[in-house]
């Protein structure tokens, strides 16, 4: 279809056919307009760029990092690469010599970089005692007994004690091809000698793992050119498997090997299963022992109590918001100061005040005993339980419910109620049929705000909730700051985020997010 757009003269008349309108700088008018629009778009983008950068850095990236940490398991295959590869070919509950040889070499390298403690911490999440096993092995790995190979090679030919000769051998392609295990062990030793010890491999005698690897290559029939001829038959050949089990008996436990097989992949669903009171094993997914199932109950408690707190805030906040919206402006402003007053006080101070009020020897119980409503030996237990958490959090979150409802109610014209009464409706009917439906958007906005704040609270439940009033957020904080199990904390946080999004979607389907307002 032909382009129907035509250039026009300044007086509005269409320009003669074939005439091109020009801007003041001599460029075609259309080109000038397009250039101007592009400049406006760039200017608009630059105005919102700081906000976009803020959202990206402080919202999107942390969520992406949380999602990655919840499945990340790279520390196992990166710390024990040889062991993972050898273990895949050995199905025995306690594997044979080749796997222990690989484990020995991996742990020598890991101990040099001090990674074995991190690996032990990771495996300890899945099997108790793994951390102490790895730490003990790290301390013993340098004197495990493999120095016998080095002593025999040096006794056979002093050239094997010369660091410079080793450095020359290990750059010879023919020797490297003939001695694959020795080459791998020497390269690993040379790498951590440079990076971890800040030494020159050409000036340091190779470690015991290199001599043990050389013996295995020669015992397998390798005949490298340029290397001193050595007959290794009849040598003392201690089993690394037996040496490691002797140093740390835990390596003879099938449980540690089952754990290594299960969590040898770089990514794992183990954290999510643990967050749902399940565990991953070689046989598949299974429930955790009853004594270890805590997270499902915590999730249920968090959502039930958050809903209860939200409901209490609606019941207490609606009359206050209604009163504020109907009173004269001067009086309403004075009362609004009382609503906003808690914001001017530290959250920690407010929560600590509730501890003073709610304890058995506190102000509330003293008043009840003085009034004769409660016996002195039967004081109410309102702290370190769910009751204390509900009372304290309802007080703290109540302003977040009142303000959205007040904002919406203030925009409802009073003439609607007067019109309903003039048509014969009584006060209750006028309120329920006319006023209340118009206030629902404020209730929705306040409910979403209070509920989302409630499920993420951890300071108040931590101080007044005890063991029966804490939320899932308290457990997340514990894993981040105390146990340092960031993977499980990330999985718990992700599940909480998904649950909130699902509830948000359900709310949108039932009520409609378009009906949520923060103002009239």
């Amino acid at each position: 279809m032909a382009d129907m757009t035509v250039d026009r003269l300044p007086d509005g008349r269409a320009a003669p056919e074939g005439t091109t309108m020009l801007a003041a700088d001599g460029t075609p008018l259309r080109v000038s307009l397009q250039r101007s629009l592009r400049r406006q778009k760039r200017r608009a983008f630059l105005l919102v760029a700081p906000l976009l950068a803020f959202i990206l850095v402080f919202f999107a990236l942390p969520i992406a990092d949380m999602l990655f940490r919840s499945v990340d398991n790279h520390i196992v295959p990166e710390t024990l690469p040889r062991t993972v590869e050898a273990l895949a070919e050995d199905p025995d509950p306690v594997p044979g010599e080749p796997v222990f040889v690989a484990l020995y070499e991996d742990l020598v390298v890991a101990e040099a970089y001090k990674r074995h403690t991190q690996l032990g911490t990771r495996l300890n999440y899945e099997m108790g005692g793994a951390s102490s096993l790895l730490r003990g092995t790290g301390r013993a790995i340098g004197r495990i007994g493999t120095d016998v190979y080095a002593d025999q090679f040096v006794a056979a030919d002093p050239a094997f004690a010369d660091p410079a000769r080793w450095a020359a051998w290990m750059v010879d392609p023919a020797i490297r091809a003939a001695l694959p295990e020795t080459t791998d062990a020497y390269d690993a030793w040379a790498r951590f000698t440079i990076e971890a010890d800040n030494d020159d491999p050409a000036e340091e005698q190779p470690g015991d793992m290199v001599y043990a690897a050389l013996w295995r290559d020669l015992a397998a029939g390798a005949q490298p050119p340029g290397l001193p001829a050595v007959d290794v038959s009849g040598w003392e050949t201690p089993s690394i498997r037996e040496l490691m089990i002797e140093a740390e008996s835990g390596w003879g436990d099938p449980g540690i090997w089952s754990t290594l097989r299960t969590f040898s992949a770089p990514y794992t669903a183990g954290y999510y299963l643990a967050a749902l009171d399940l565990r991953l094993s070689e046989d598949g997914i299974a429930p955790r022992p009853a004594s270890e199932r805590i997270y499902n109950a915590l999730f249920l408690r968090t959502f039930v109590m958050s809903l209860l707190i939200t409901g209490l805030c609606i019941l207490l906040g609606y009359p206050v918001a209604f009163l504020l919206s109907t009173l004269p402006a001067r009086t309403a402003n004075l009362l609004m100061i009382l609503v906003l007053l808690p914001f001017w006080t530290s959250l920690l101070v407010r929560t600590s005040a509730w501890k003073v009020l709610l304890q058995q020897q506190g102000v509330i119980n003293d008043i009840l005993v003085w009034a004769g409503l409660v016996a002195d030996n039967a004081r109410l237990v309102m702290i370190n339980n769910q009751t204390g958490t509900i009372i304290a959090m309802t007080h703290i979150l109540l302003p977040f419910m009142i303000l959205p409802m007040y904002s919406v109610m203030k925009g409802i014209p009073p003439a609607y109620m007067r019109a309903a009464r003039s048509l014969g409706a009584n006060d209750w009917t006028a309120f329920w049929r006319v006023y209340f439906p118009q206030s629902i958007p404020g209730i929705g906005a306040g409910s979403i705000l209070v509920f989302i704040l409630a499920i993420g609270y951890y300071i108040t439940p931590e101080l007044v909730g005890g063991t029966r009033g804490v939320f899932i957020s308290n457990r997340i904080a514990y894993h981040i700051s105390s146990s340092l199990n960031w993977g499980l904390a990330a999985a718990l946080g992700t599940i909480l985020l998904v649950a909130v999004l699902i509830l948000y979607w359900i709310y949108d389907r039932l009520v409609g997010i378009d009906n949520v307002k923060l103002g009239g």
Side-chain angles (χ1 to χ4, degrees):
M1 184 176 181
D3 186 3
M4 300 301 295
T5 303
V6 296
D7 293 321
R8 295 186 177 276
L9 297 172
D11 60 3
R13 293 181 294 111
E17 186 177 354
T19 301
T20 301
M21 294 295 294
L22 301 178
D25 58 358
T27 59
L29 183 59
R30 291 184 182 182
V31 175
S32 180
L33 288 174
Q34 292 173 357
R35 187 180 301 164
S36 177
L37 289 174
R38 285 195 296 268
R39 283 197 300 266
Q40 291 178 4
K41 290 179 180 179
R42 284 196 298 268
R43 191 180 300 114
F45 175 77
L46 291 175
L47 289 173
V48 301
L51 177 59
L52 292 177
F54 179 85
I55 294 175
L56 178 65
V57 173
F58 295 102
F59 184 75
L61 290 181
I63 290 179
D65 181 68
M66 179 181 69
L67 294 174
F68 174 74
R69 287 182 181 274
S70 67
V71 296
D72 178 39
N73 192 53
H74 280 82
I75 188 171
V76 176
E78 288 180 358
T79 307
L80 304 177
R82 302 171 183 83
T83 307
V84 169
E85 183 178 352
L87 199 57
E89 301 176 358
D90 192 332
D92 293 338
V94 179
E97 184 74 11
V99 176
F100 275 88
V101 169
L103 177 66
Y104 165 72
E105 294 182 349
D106 283 336
L107 289 181
V108 169
V109 177
E111 194 278 334
Y113 288 104
K114 308 304 178 187
R115 293 176 183 160
H116 64 293
T117 56
Q118 301 173 21
L119 175 66
T121 301
R122 168 67 187 97
L123 295 178
N124 206 68
Y125 299 149
E126 313 300 337
M127 176 185 174
S131 179
S132 58
L133 174 62
L134 268 296
R135 290 177 184 273
T137 306
R139 290 191 295 267
I141 200 71
R143 46 183 171 76
I144 203 169
T146 53
D147 56 343
V148 65
Y149 292 104
D151 294 340
Q152 292 177 109
F153 272 108
V154 173
D157 193 319
F160 286 107
D162 186 357
R165 296 288 296 275
W166 271 102
W169 292 335
M170 288 296 102
V171 295
D172 188 332
I175 294 180
R176 292 178 66 87
L179 303 175
E181 291 199 47
T182 307
T183 298
D184 179 63
Y186 184 87
D187 288 348
W189 171 81
R191 191 177 302 112
F192 72 69
T193 298
I194 296 172
E195 297 176 353
D197 300 337
N198 294 319
D199 291 326
D200 185 357
E203 299 176 356
E204 300 289 332
Q205 183 177 348
D208 294 338
M209 63 180 285
V210 179
Y211 290 100
L214 177 59
W215 175 86
R216 291 194 299 273
D217 280 331
L218 296 180
Q223 298 179 351
L227 204 70
V230 177
D231 182 10
V232 298
S233 62
W235 281 19
E236 182 182 355
T237 56
S239 168
I240 293 181
R241 182 179 190 272
E242 295 177 0
L243 290 174
M244 293 199 66
I245 294 178
E246 181 181 352
E248 286 291 338
S249 60
W251 293 114
D253 181 7
I256 186 64
W257 296 104
S258 175
T259 302
L260 283 174
R261 288 189 179 94
T262 303
F263 296 94
S264 59
Y267 299 99
T268 179
Y271 291 123
Y272 283 101
L273 294 175
L276 297 173
D277 291 335
L278 302 171
R279 61 184 178 89
L280 189 63
S281 66
E282 287 188 285
D283 299 327
I285 299 173
R288 287 186 174 272
S291 59
E292 299 179 8
R293 300 175 195 170
I294 59 174
Y295 296 113
N296 287 338
L298 276 176
F299 274 116
L300 180 62
R301 179 193 301 168
T302 298
F303 282 99
V304 170
M305 290 181 64
S306 296
L307 288 172
L308 179 58
I309 291 167
T310 302
L312 290 174
C313 285
I314 294 174
L315 293 177
L316 296 175
Y318 196 96
V320 176
F322 179 79
L323 181 64
L324 290 173
S325 65
T326 55
L327 286 174
R330 180 184 296 272
T331 305
N333 289 337
L334 291 175
L335 294 179
M336 181 61 72
I337 293 176
L338 299 179
V339 174
L340 298 176
L341 189 60
F343 289 129
W344 303 337
T345 308
S346 168
L347 174 63
L348 189 60
V349 171
R350 283 180 281 164
T351 304
S352 300
W354 276 112
K355 288 180 67 70
V356 176
L357 291 171
L358 296 175
Q359 60 184 325
Q360 285 188 287
Q361 302 301 322
V363 176
I364 295 178
N365 267 302
D366 285 347
I367 293 175
L368 293 176
V369 171
W370 173 80
L373 299 176
V374 174
D376 188 46
N377 60 352
R379 290 173 174 253
L380 300 179
V381 180
M382 297 181 291
I383 199 71
N384 296 329
N385 53 26
Q386 296 184 17
T387 302
T389 300
I390 292 172
I391 293 174
M393 288 188 62
T394 299
H395 165 256
I396 290 170
L397 296 177
L398 187 58
F400 295 98
M401 180 67 73
I402 294 175
L403 293 176
M405 289 196 296
Y406 167 75
S407 179
V408 171
M409 291 177 180
K410 195 65 177 176
I412 300 176
Y416 290 175
M417 293 285 286
R418 293 195 295 268
R421 294 190 189 96
S422 68
L423 293 174
N426 56 32
D427 289 342
W428 169 251
T429 302
F431 168 79
W432 185 249
R433 299 287 296 275
V434 177
Y435 190 90
F436 181 77
Q438 296 182 80
S439 67
I440 288 178
I443 298 175
S447 299
I448 291 178
L449 186 60
V450 169
F451 180 79
I452 292 178
L453 288 174
I455 61 173
Y457 254 58
Y458 72 94
I459 293 179
T460 303
E462 183 71 22
L463 293 178
V464 301
T467 58
R468 299 186 60 83
V470 296
F471 285 5
I472 192 66
S473 52
N474 297 99
R475 203 64 185 175
I476 295 174
Y478 165 76
H479 286 306
I480 291 176
S481 60
S482 298
S483 73
L484 302 182
N485 191 349
W486 287 13
L488 180 54
L492 290 169
T494 302
I495 292 174
L496 190 63
L497 174 63
V498 171
V500 170
L501 292 177
I502 291 175
L503 289 175
Y504 183 86
W505 177 81
I506 294 174
Y507 180 89
D508 182 40
R509 300 290 294 180
L510 295 178
V511 178
I513 201 64
D514 293 337
N515 293 325
V516 174
K517 297 180 182 178
L518 292 177

